[in-house]
Structure formats: C-alpha cells, structure tokens
Amino acid sequence: MASIKEHPIEKINASVATTETLPARDRRVHIIGAGPMGLLLAALLQPMEGLSVHLYEKRREYTRTRMVQLSSYLVADSVESYRADHIDGDNVVAVFEPPELDEGLAFRQTLPSDLMALLQQWTLGFCPLNAIEHALSDLIDARKSNAVQRTAAVVTPEEAMTMLMPGDILIDCTGSRSLLRDHMVPGEVEGANTLTIRLEYALVIAFLYGQKYDCNEYCKYNKNIENPRYKFIPMVHRTHYDGSVSHVTGIVNITAEEYQAMPSRFDGEWLRGNFPDAAQSMDRFIDKIKEETHGEILGDLEIVRIPLDLYRARNATSRLWRAANHVDHPFVSSPVFLAGDSAIGSPYFQSISLGFECAMFLAGLIAQRDLPLRDMLDRYELYTYKQWLRVYMRSKMIKHNKDLFETIDDPLALLDKLHIY
Ligand SMILES: Cc1cc2nc3c(=O)[nH]c(=O)nc-3n(C[C@H](O)[C@H](O)[C@H](O)COP(=O)(O)OP(=O)(O)OC[C@H]3O[C@@H](n4cnc5c(N)ncnc54)[C@H](O)[C@@H]3O)c2cc1C
C-alpha cells in the first residue's frame, strides 16, 4: 500500500458548540476507512480549498483481488446516459427530481481530470478491487498540494468521538460492519439503525477463461438446460474481454442450510467433493462454454458463499443528535456521515457504484461552504434514501427475474411466481 505512515490517533478535547455553517479556519474532515469509498472521498475533498483531510485505515496492504465492475452511470454526462440501464431508467426518473439529477451531473463536470480518467477506465469492464484502491491511493499521494494526512490504526468509536473539534466533519467509510452506524442515534440499541432485507444465499464463482466469451440471456438459458437446480448465472456484462482473457463471475442460488455448511471461501475441488450436484451444474455450464469457444479455464475457480442482502442505515447522518441537542456529545457540534457500505449495501454487484454516487453527492455538499449544516445533513439523508429506493427496486427486479428463470421450464411453478392483472 502506498505510504501509510504511523501516527498515534490524535486526541483533542472537543469544546462544545453548535456550528451552523463551516468554521472560518481550515475545516478538518476525518475519513475512517480507506477502502474504495474512503479513498474516493479523500480524492474528491483533497483539492478543495479550506479543508484538511485526515484518512484512517487499519489494513497495511490492499490484498482484495476479486474482480469488480462499476456502472457507466458514474461517468454519465447527460440524464439520458445516467438512466441508460433498462431496469434502472424509469426508477431514476420516478425517484429523483430533475434539478437533483442536473446537480449531480454538474458536479461530475467539476471532478479533477485525474480522478475522472480513472472512473472512466473502471466503467469499461472488470477490474480487481485492489487495483481501484491502489490507483486512488497513489493518486492522493502523488498530488503536489493539500497532502492528505494518513493514520495507520484501528479507530474505535470512542477515539472517533474524542478526535473531533467542533465543526469537524467525520465520515465513516468502514464498510458493511460500520464503526458508527449504531452510534448515529441517541440511546440507540445495537442493530436498530440497520434495516436488512435478505434476498437469497449464493455462491459467487469467479474464474479466468483463456478465450473471448460473452453471455446474454439466451446463452444463460441454453447452457443451463440440463441444470434443474443450481443454475449458474453469469451477471449481465459480467464478462470482459481483456486481450486473450475473459473474467467470468457467476452466481448460483443455494439454501440457508447449504450456506451454513460451507466455509466462507473455497475452490472448485472443495465444491466437487462436498456439494457434487452444485459442482456438476457449474461444470456443465463451463463445458458448454469450452465447446463453443475452445478455451480453457486459467488457474482455479475462486468461490465465496455470501448472503445477498439489501440493507440501509435508517439514519445515515448524526442529525438526530443535533435535534436532541445533547450538548455534551461531540456529534452535536460535528456532523457525521456514513458512506459506502457503512450506509447502504446491495447485492448483484452494484454497491461500489452506489457508494461512489453518494460519495460524490456528499463531496458536492461539503464543497458548498455557505450551506447550513442542517441542510447538509437533511440533503444527504434524503439523497441516500433515494439512492436506496433506486437500488431496492432494481435489486428486487433482478431477484424476481432470477426466480422466474430458475423455473423457466416448469410452467406451473413459473405461474405460481407471477402476479398478472
Ligand atoms: C464476492 C464479492 C464481489 C463483489 N463484487 C462487486 C462488484 O462487482 N461491483 C460492486 O460494485 N461491488 C462489489 N462488491 C461489493 C464491494 O466490494 C463493496 O461494496 C465495497 O468494497 C465497499 O467499499 P467501502 O469502502 O464502503 O467498504 P470496504 O471495502 O469494506 O472498506 C472499508 C475499509 O475500512 C477499513 N476499516 C474498517 N474498520 C476500521 C476501523 N475501525 N479503523 C480503521 N479502518 C477501518 C477496512 O480495513 C477497509 O479498508 C462485491 C463484494 C463481494 C463480497
């Protein structure tokens, strides 16, 4: 990882004051977690005048090599291209007001060109997660002015609170097991600030294939004809032809019991030895790819088993602390925001794009020095809620389509899942 330096966590006694707008001094922004979200936010805020950005990360290296893909709406330059996805397009118009869409697109135009170039590259096809992290980290370190102050440490909630001076901004980017989600609400009980909808359990199977390979819905059907269960479903656009190598990532639905009986990650051999029916379905699918395109799998299959959850923080900011006016609590005088997987999580490989979208909006709010804090908090809450509605609708539609696909050759089972007026 690029030059994370050792620093003790700063402990600064926050005096109590309620600030309505940004302080005159340089405003300190503390970003906890330097995964993709924390790094993007740091890269967005770093060039802004009047901000001093502090980034805290507990990992010493970026080791996650899983392939991820970002949505093209991240680099859209018009409303049309922003809503190009056929499942998402109408949802976007239903949820967002035209000025909101325009504001988001206008902020994109102001992104530093080094950052925009990276985003454009990542929306073209698959990319290892740690390549995104390395690229953002290197970009931050390479900039000549406004150095981001980095701290290598595990931050505790107590440390996060005591490091704050009135008017500082704190952004929690610590991922799905968010450091501060439970602390956003006065008197909060554990887990109460999280709404979770479990859609299914799945195997995520990824491999490299030594030939160009692409797959549409006909291909998914034809290659699964002999698989009554455990249909292997490569995601739409989940393959990217990279010179002579294709990256393939597919998901296979499993039961809760099967999920419990599996380790969190394993290879093809383990699956064949322990869940032969699931392995046969996957192997049949892969054999058909090989018949068609005469290639070979490069290396081994990488398999993880995950619950596919949709979740959101009911409160993605500390605004309830301000409303309660607990004057002795640091979140009264310093706004706190949850970003990325800390705030919202979604299945079907949408999370980073969703998180980046909310991060860009938050950066746009912080850039407005005269914006009253209350407005900043309210606007971020509303925006994240709308992005949640958007991803909720898209995910439910994908799940519904997947359910129909699972029984596509059994008309009665299929009709059971339909509701047609
Ligand atoms: C198998 C799989 C495949 C996926 N594929 C895709 C895909 O194709 N497209 C997509 O959009 N998404 C995908 N995702 C989801 C994606 O990986 C996450 O949405 C993304 O990593 C979230 O980024 P984040 O920065 O919010 O959180 P994280 O990536 O979880 O980063 C959080 C960071 O905070 C640090 N941290 C945590 N606690 C502390 C602490 N107390 N102190 C200091 N540092 C701390 C962590 O070390 C970490 O670096 C996939 C997920 C899985 C499991």
Side-chain angles (χ1 to χ4, degrees), residues 32-39 56-59 62 64 66-71 126 129 133 151 153-157 173-177 179 204 238 249 265 304 306 339-342 344 346 348-356:
I32 306 176
M37 227 50 61
L39 289 164
Y56 305 80
E57 170 56 47
K58 67 179 180 185
R59 287 185 292 159
Y62 290 123
R64 298 181 292 184
R66 66 170 176 262
M67 304 296 274
V68 297
Q69 193 188 28
L70 304 192
S71 305
F126 278 101
L129 181 56
E133 293 173 317
T151 302
V154 180
V155 181
T156 65
C173 296
T174 54
S176 55
R177 293 182 190 161
L179 185 70
V204 179
R238 289 299 296 171
T249 297
R265 83 182 37 240
V304 293
I306 50 174
D341 280 14
S342 275
I344 305 179
S346 59
Y348 311 130
F349 314 103
Q350 311 165 86
S351 269
I352 302 180
S353 307
L354 174 71
F356 276 13

Side-chain angles (χ1 to χ4, degrees), residues 41-102:
L41 269 162
L44 288 167
L45 299 176
Q46 184 182 18
M48 289 182 194
E49 285 305 312
L51 296 183
S52 125
V53 180
H54 300 243
L55 185 57
Y56 305 80
E57 170 56 47
K58 67 179 180 185
R59 287 185 292 159
R60 296 195 169 268
E61 278 182 275
Y62 290 123
T63 54
R64 298 181 292 184
T65 52
R66 66 170 176 262
M67 304 296 274
V68 297
Q69 193 188 28
L70 304 192
S71 305
S72 60
Y73 69 72
L74 280 176
V75 292
D77 57 6
S78 66
V79 173
E80 288 66 40
S81 54
Y82 189 72
R83 51 183 294 245
D85 179 301
H86 75 283
I87 300 182
D88 202 28
D90 285 348
N91 297 343
V92 166
V93 175
V95 169
F96 294 96
E97 296 300 328
E100 288 176 302
L101 296 176
D102 292 341

Side-chain angles (χ1 to χ4, degrees), residues 9 11 32 154-161 163 179-180:
I9 292 289
K11 302 229 177 205
I32 306 176
V154 180
V155 181
T156 65
E158 294 68 35
E159 284 169 329
M161 288 173 202
M163 71 171 70
L179 185 70
L180 297 173

